[in-house]
Amino acid sequence: MKHIRNFCIIAHIDHGKSTLADRLLEFTKTVDGKDLQAQVLDDMDLERERGITIKSHAIQMDYEYEGQKYVLNLIDTPGHVDFSYEVSRSIAACEGALLVVDATQGIQAQTISNLYQAIEHDLHIIPILNKMDMPTANPDEVREQIIDLIGCKRSEIIEASGKTGMGVEDILKAIIETVPHPIGNSEAPLQALIFDSVFNSFRGIIAYFKILNGTISKGDFVKFYNTKKEYYAEEIGVLRLTQEPREVLRTGDVGYIISGIKTSNEVKVGDTITHVKAPCDKAVDGFENVKPMVFAGVYPIDAEDYEDLRAAMEKLQLNDASLTFEPESSMALGFGFRCGFLGLLHMEIIQERLDREYDMNVITTVPNVSYIVYTNKDEMIEVHNPAGLPDPKYLKYIEEPYITAQIISKPDYIGSLMTLCMEKRGELKKQVYLTTERIELTFEMPLGEIVFDFYDKLKSISRGYASFDYVLSGFKRANLVRLDILLNGEQVDALSTLIHFDNAYRFGKRMTEKLSELIPRQQFDIAIQAAIGAKIIARSTIKALRKDVTAKCYGGDISRKRKLLEKQKKGKKKMKQVGNVEVPQKAFLAVLKLD
């Protein structure tokens, strides 16, 4: 145990943690030759295309230091705020963390929030200044920021470069000398924390765990503490670049277990593995449940694919524990699922993964957040979608979730950032100059306002210099109304949104205009209306495709033409009664891109 070190890498998005992980793997000769490629741990096509880490990846390295062999377990984590749950799980399985800060950009909001998580778990922090080879690096200023943030000594900050490999040896030395080894009792009953799992179509579900106490051998009869299921450990091993089987794993080890589990609800991330004969007293605690921020309906394009979609969602949930879903149905779209995501990027990635990994083509409805509704009888109802809202006459009031948002940026953009937040009903709580070149703004604002396009606008206003992070602060009473979209008088429930009364008219008008561009013309007029309750607040009409029935009349009495037009008018009226309007997938997504 004294020669094991478990550590993770935390940083803001694009600060070079995956590249630094490559250099560590290369230096310890864990990866060489043909396996060596950029971002070797990002094994998903999506991660490579977008240049972001979506999943945490665990890998074991061997390193010899002062004649002694050490085993280093590294977990590379994502940097985007939407995947912060992955980071929290990695932190639970480690004793140390490398805090990587880009020397050209300085400390960003996500760095701070991940750092606080690590400090709460008593992890030893090793500060690293990355990208020191860049001509735009500003090491002196960024070093001061790190000292202010964690109160370390100037000499403790390691200068490194993921691209050139500078400082990698110092990092490995710091990990071995300063990160504490795992503490546990190898004689005690087995207690292992599951921090991740994947589905393999040949082997079933593979769970990744870290042993806190005791040992596990191949063939042991084990049980999962919370689900109460019992299995034989058919194969156990460690996570190198590929899975390497072992006969026995001891306290402090990080590894995997295969026991032929086929159904996904039998494995829960955060569960504890123990022996059936000599179980541990209690499960490992301190693992928090995920709180979804954004809800959206996901429906199969073909109604027959519903069961396939359920299977795909269950497999995906194993790999991404922050995805939550429950069945729901819609008049317009049939049967589907109400899914909870951590943010819009998370939602986009899930949709993309369903398509690529499981070949599921889906329609996603307008995303929204959860609200608390109080009725006249003082009942409290949690509402995840506008269709679940009770009739206005039974409503007392609605409360919506609020967040405390932290924005770190350059002072040049402060005016436009404030305007953006005020437009979104934000309230400035405090502003602090971290240095002369960096300012931190704290706003309190409704979560529903940042769901759509806030992040994109923030980036474009600040030319990519603003970083954003938020925590849920509670619920506040709000003047919200349900905005319905009607096509030819029929309500399309998948396009309904809950919106603040002041923004309803403007939003309804833009929505009807946008839908009139996207819905294809039919043989009859289509009326698109936005309504609050029974009151219509905006309308657009898609004109019918018309055939010139009077073309064959040249000359003669006007009544001949009129007779033909009347006949056509009757036909159109009849068609309108039987015809139905197809709403294309683009229209459901248009709401997100109204600006």
Side-chain angles (χ1 to χ4, degrees):
M1 231 172 16
K2 291 215 165 52
H3 303 125
I4 296 175
R5 300 287 182 273
N6 300 319
F7 66 99
C8 58
I9 305 183
I10 55 177
H12 191 76
I13 189 166
D14 271 346
H15 279 202
K17 30 183 192 316
S18 296
T19 314
L20 193 64
D22 288 355
R23 295 296 81 77
L24 290 169
L25 295 174
E26 200 180 345
F27 196 85
T28 56
K29 298 188 173 53
T30 309
V31 179
D32 53 7
K34 66 179 190 309
D35 291 329
L36 195 62
Q37 53 174 339
Q39 279 89 36
V40 72
L41 291 178
D42 292 351
D43 51 10
M44 230 185 280
D45 294 344
L46 259 176
E47 292 181 311
R48 300 195 152 277
E49 279 167 32
R50 291 176 177 241
I52 56 175
T53 306
I54 294 169
K55 279 291 298 165
S56 296
H57 297 276
I59 190 164
Q60 191 180 84
M61 306 178 282
D62 293 328
Y63 183 60
E64 198 167 304
Y65 176 67
E66 292 180 353
Q68 179 64 52
K69 271 186 103 174
Y70 286 88
V71 173
L72 310 177
N73 290 310
L74 153 72
I75 304 179
D76 178 26
T77 64
H80 197 283
V81 61
D82 278 15
F83 304 110
S84 52
Y85 188 60
E86 290 284 328
V87 183
S88 74
R89 290 170 18 204
S90 314
I91 286 172
C94 294
E95 282 87 31
L98 305 184
L99 176 72
V100 178
V101 181
D102 186 331
T104 63
Q105 290 185 9
I107 283 172
Q108 305 279 324
Q110 194 58 36
T111 319
I112 296 176
S113 86
N114 286 344
L115 173 71
Y116 286 157
Q117 274 191 330
I119 290 172
E120 271 173 33
H121 279 77
D122 283 344
L123 264 62
H124 176 80
I125 311 290
I126 299 175
I128 294 166
L129 260 182
N130 198 19
K131 303 193 184 179
M132 285 298 289
D133 57 320
M134 301 277 278
T136 51
N138 189 353
D140 297 333
E141 191 182 307
V142 180
R143 203 177 279 119
E144 290 304 321
Q145 290 174 20
I146 295 176
I147 292 169
D148 281 351
L149 186 66
I150 59 173
C152 61
K153 296 193 184 82
R154 188 175 286 268
S155 57
E156 287 174 14
I157 301 170
I158 300 170
E159 295 184 0
S161 160
K163 195 179 277 181
T164 61
M166 153 191 175
V168 172
E169 206 168 337
D170 297 338
I171 293 171
L172 288 165
K173 182 181 167 190
I175 290 167
I176 287 167
E177 289 182 352
T178 62
V179 173
H181 61 78
I183 303 163
N185 180 359
S186 52
E187 302 302 316
L190 173 67
Q191 195 181 31
L193 170 75
I194 300 177
F195 64 88
D196 206 353
S197 57
V198 291
F199 183 81
N200 181 313
S201 44
F202 301 107
R203 309 292 308 269
I205 293 162
I206 304 171
Y208 298 162
F209 61 83
K210 177 197 174 185
I211 302 179
L212 302 177
N213 289 307
T215 57
I216 183 170
S217 307
K218 186 180 170 180
D220 279 358
F221 195 33
V222 295
K223 78 166 178 182
F224 288 24
Y225 206 92
N226 291 334
T227 55
K228 307 273 189 290
K229 301 283 184 191
E230 301 178 353
Y231 308 99
Y232 285 100
E234 289 169 17
E235 182 180 313
I236 56 168
V238 293
L239 300 155
R240 308 292 280 215
L241 198 55
T242 53
Q243 293 164 348
E244 281 187 13
R246 293 275 193 274
E247 286 301 314
V248 63
L249 291 176
R250 297 184 171 81
T251 307
D253 279 334
V254 172
Y256 69 91
I257 177 169
I258 301 176
S259 42
I261 307 168
K262 288 287 186 282
T263 48
S264 56
N265 57 5
E266 294 181 16
V267 176
K268 291 268 187 294
V269 167
D271 202 350
T272 305
I273 304 175
T274 186
H275 281 124
V276 174
K277 282 186 179 154
C280 55
D281 307 335
K282 61 180 179 38
V284 182
D285 55 345
F287 213 88
E288 47 194 76
N289 270 337
V290 58
K291 294 185 202 77
M293 295 289 183
V294 175
F295 294 87
V298 173
Y299 293 85
I301 284 181
D302 201 343
E304 292 155 12
D305 295 339
Y306 176 71
E307 282 304 323
D308 296 346
L309 178 61
R310 180 196 289 274
M313 293 281 243
E314 284 176 354
K315 287 173 188 169
L316 201 52
Q317 194 180 33
L318 278 172
N319 197 249
D320 182 351
S322 53
L323 169 69
T324 58
F325 65 91
E326 55 185 45
E328 77 162 1
S329 64
S330 144
M331 294 288 285
L333 301 170
F335 289 104
F337 295 96
R338 186 96 204 141
C339 301
F341 307 99
L342 294 184
L344 278 190
L345 176 69
H346 186 211
M347 174 174 137
E348 208 178 307
I349 295 289
I350 292 286
Q351 205 175 341
E352 191 89 358
R353 285 183 72 183
L354 280 171
D355 185 25
R356 289 187 187 201
E357 295 172 27
Y358 303 101
D359 207 17
M360 292 302 312
N361 211 347
V362 294
I363 289 180
T364 314
T365 64
V366 183
N368 60 301
V369 298
S370 61
Y371 298 91
I372 291 179
V373 175
Y374 290 90
T375 64
N376 293 338
K377 295 177 180 172
D378 285 333
E379 289 172 300
M380 191 182 94
I381 310 168
E382 197 172 309
V383 174
H384 293 313
N385 67 338
L389 201 66
D391 201 294
K393 62 181 181 225
Y394 301 122
L395 272 182
K396 196 169 182 185
Y397 60 91
I398 302 176
E399 287 186 346
E400 63 176 337
Y402 265 68
I403 56 164
T404 302
Q406 237 184 352
I407 299 170
I408 297 179
S409 182
K410 292 189 167 183
D412 316 3
Y413 309 115
I414 185 169
S416 42
L417 286 172
M418 280 188 170
T419 312
L420 171 69
C421 293
M422 301 293 188
E423 275 174 10
K424 301 280 186 190
R425 300 190 282 134
E427 199 181 305
L428 182 67
K429 287 294 175 192
K430 65 174 187 208
Q431 74 186 59
V432 182
Y433 277 87
L434 300 171
T435 66
T436 50
E437 277 302 295
R438 296 168 68 74
I439 186 163
E440 179 185 33
L441 301 172
T442 307
F443 277 93
E444 187 158 39
M445 56 204 296
L447 177 63
E449 293 285 347
I450 67 157
V451 163
F452 290 123
D453 49 7
F454 179 79
Y455 201 64
D456 302 340
K457 279 186 179 171
L458 182 84
K459 286 291 180 199
S460 56
I461 282 174
S462 63
R463 303 196 183 141
Y465 274 109
S467 64
F468 173 70
D469 189 51
Y470 62 88
V471 289
L472 211 59
S473 62
F475 283 78
K476 281 191 183 176
R477 194 164 169 168
N479 184 10
L480 297 168
V481 288
R482 186 171 90 191
L483 183 75
D484 293 321
I485 298 295
L486 312 174
L487 292 183
N488 276 345
E490 295 262 331
Q491 186 187 328
V492 183
D493 57 355
L495 287 173
S496 299
T497 47
L498 269 172
I499 191 161
H500 197 267
F501 184 76
D502 299 346
N503 304 338
Y505 173 73
R506 198 173 70 240
F507 187 77
K509 191 166 170 45
R510 278 177 21 219
M511 189 116 156
T512 52
E513 284 165 5
K514 187 80 178 174
L515 288 172
S516 65
E517 292 166 23
L518 291 171
I519 293 175
R521 287 172 74 184
Q522 312 276 347
Q523 295 284 344
F524 50 90
D525 282 2
I526 303 171
I528 302 173
Q529 296 164 312
I532 296 173
K535 188 180 176 189
I536 305 293
I537 57 166
R539 171 184 170 129
S540 293
T541 309
I542 302 175
K543 284 295 180 196
L545 289 166
R546 297 195 63 164
K547 180 182 169 189
D548 189 358
V549 288
T550 59
K552 59 178 182 273
C553 297
Y554 44 94
D557 190 7
I558 184 71
S559 60
R560 288 177 64 199
K561 284 188 178 179
R562 198 159 283 151
K563 189 176 164 188
L564 288 167
L565 287 168
E566 281 298 322
K567 192 177 170 187
Q568 186 187 31
K569 194 170 164 188
K570 274 185 189 157
K572 296 276 181 206
K573 195 173 173 188
K574 191 173 175 186
M575 202 179 274
K576 187 171 181 173
Q577 288 165 354
V578 296
N580 62 350
V581 186
E582 284 288 315
V583 184
Q585 160 79 358
K586 283 194 301 235
F588 290 107
L589 298 176
V591 190
L592 303 183
K593 303 185 174 67
L594 275 178
D595 291 337

